């Protein structure tokens, strides 16, 4: 079955530091890949996505590249802010089979950014 | 703005007393999902609808039921809430390709407390 593995957290950084959150996946075929962010007490917000190999998703200074050869979708940001403190979830969705496939989530990574 | 709206944001119910959570969407998406999320864990899919077709996850307890009277609304019924059902409940929608981008859009969630 499908699975997503994220780097262990929590991650604590100082403002303006470089961020990497690793994400690797196991899936058949060519799944779509997503990063979602969850702020305290809120639902999940789509941060970025990529639907095929070598696609780069980007939003709000965050980037992730769909690497099929390494089955990875690592999240990066060059300079984090205090407002980036949240929980980040990597997720995948089947490309084929049922057209409405469910999301498979990683375990989430808690990011805390200090001033 | 088009969105997914969950009501209420916070719900307190008594042990064993039936409770209903609601979700509405203005996105006109075919698919609606209900997830349960506990304590910064990954969301766990309970069930989903593709239009009127209901799909239950194999490990979703019988205590949880759902209704989708029309495209816009979906309800989560918990027949006899136990202390272990206290969680954040997330509603999400998606529209598969080619009409949609396959990503899921989440509501802000309902935080359920069982006393």
């Amino acid at each position: 079955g499908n699975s997503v593995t994220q780097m262990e957290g929590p991650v604590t950084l100082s403002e303006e530091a470089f961020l990497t959150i690793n994400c690797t996946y196991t899936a058949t075929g060519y799944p779509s890949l997503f990063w979602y962010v969850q702020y305290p007490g809120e639902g999940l917000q789509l941060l970025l996505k990529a639907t095929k190999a070598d696609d780069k998703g980007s939003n709000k200074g965050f980037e992730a590249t769909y690497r099929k050869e390494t089955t990875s979708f690592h999240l990066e940001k060059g300079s984090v802010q205090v407002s980036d403190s949240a929980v980040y979830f990597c997720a995948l969705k089947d490309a084929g089979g049922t057209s409405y496939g469910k999301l498979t989530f990683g375990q989430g990574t808690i990011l805390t950014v200090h001033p | 703005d088009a969105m997914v709206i969950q009501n209420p944001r916070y719900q307190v119910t008594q042990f064993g007393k039936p409770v209903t959570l609601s979700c509405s969407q203005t996105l006109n998406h075919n698919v609606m999902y209900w997830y349960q999320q506990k304590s910064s864990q990954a969301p766990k899919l309970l069930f989903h609808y593709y239009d009127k077709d209901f799909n239950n996850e194999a490990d979703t307890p019988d205590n949880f039921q759902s209704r989708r009277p029309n495209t816009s609304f979906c309800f989560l019924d918990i027949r006899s809430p136990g202390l272990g059902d206290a969680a954040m409940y997330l509603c999400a929608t998606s529209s598969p390709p080619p009409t949609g981008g396959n990503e899921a859009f989440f509501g802000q969630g309902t935080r359920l407390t069982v006393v």
Side-chain angles (χ1 to χ4, degrees):
Chain A
N2 296 339
S3 68
V4 177
T5 302
Q6 288 181 235
M7 66 183 288
E8 293 291 330
V11 174
T12 303
L13 295 172
S14 298
E15 206 165 26
E16 299 184 3
F18 184 85
L19 169 71
T20 300
I21 302 178
N22 289 339
C23 171
T24 58
Y25 68 90
T26 302
T28 55
Y30 297 87
S32 296
L33 301 175
F34 307 90
W35 276 100
Y36 283 87
V37 59
Q38 186 175 34
Y39 299 101
E42 301 291 325
L44 275 69
Q45 299 177 25
L46 178 66
L47 182 59
L48 51 85
K49 71 173 185 178
T51 57
K52 62 182 186 297
D54 300 325
D55 266 2
K56 178 186 282 188
S58 61
N59 185 27
K60 299 180 181 179
F62 291 90
E63 294 183 341
T65 301
Y66 190 141
R67 301 284 188 201
K68 184 152 180 68
E69 64 276 14
T70 54
T71 62
S72 65
F73 193 55
H74 304 321
L75 182 68
E76 296 182 336
K77 186 174 185 181
S79 177
V80 294
Q81 305 299 312
V82 172
S83 57
D84 293 327
S85 298
V87 182
Y88 291 81
F89 291 97
C90 185
L92 69 81
K93 182 180 276 193
D94 281 333
T98 54
S99 60
Y100 51 80
K102 68 180 184 181
L103 283 167
T104 300
F105 286 95
Q107 68 269 37
T109 301
I110 300 172
L111 172 66
T112 303
V113 180
H114 293 298
Chain B
D1 288 341
M3 59 179 63
V4 181
I5 302 167
Q6 291 188 243
N7 284 304
R9 289 290 309 277
Y10 303 92
Q11 175 73 57
V12 180
T13 191
Q14 291 181 339
F15 182 94
K17 184 175 181 181
V19 65
T20 295
L21 310 182
S22 71
C23 177
S24 63
Q25 56 136 339
T26 60
L27 297 160
N28 204 35
H29 283 172
N30 303 93
V31 190
M32 294 188 77
Y33 309 82
W34 279 105
Y35 287 85
Q36 180 192 64
Q37 187 184 28
K38 296 185 177 182
S39 304
S40 292
Q41 295 178 21
K44 177 181 180 300
L45 183 65
L46 296 174
F47 23 60
H48 69 279
Y49 280 90
Y50 187 96
D51 292 329
K52 284 197 171 292
D53 291 336
F54 176 73
N55 298 271
N56 200 35
E57 292 299 296
D59 57 353
T60 298
D62 292 340
N63 198 27
F64 291 87
Q65 304 287 320
S66 184
R67 297 170 282 135
R68 189 179 186 186
N70 54 52
T71 300
S72 300
F73 287 88
C74 195
F75 300 98
L76 171 62
D77 300 309
I78 308 176
R79 293 194 294 188
S80 181
L83 298 179
D85 296 327
M88 174 79 91
Y89 290 88
L90 298 167
C91 175
T93 73
S94 73
S95 182
T99 55
N102 213 24
E103 64 265 38
F105 294 84
F106 285 81
Q108 290 189 295
T110 294
R111 170 72 65 186
L112 179 68
T113 301
V114 182
V115 298

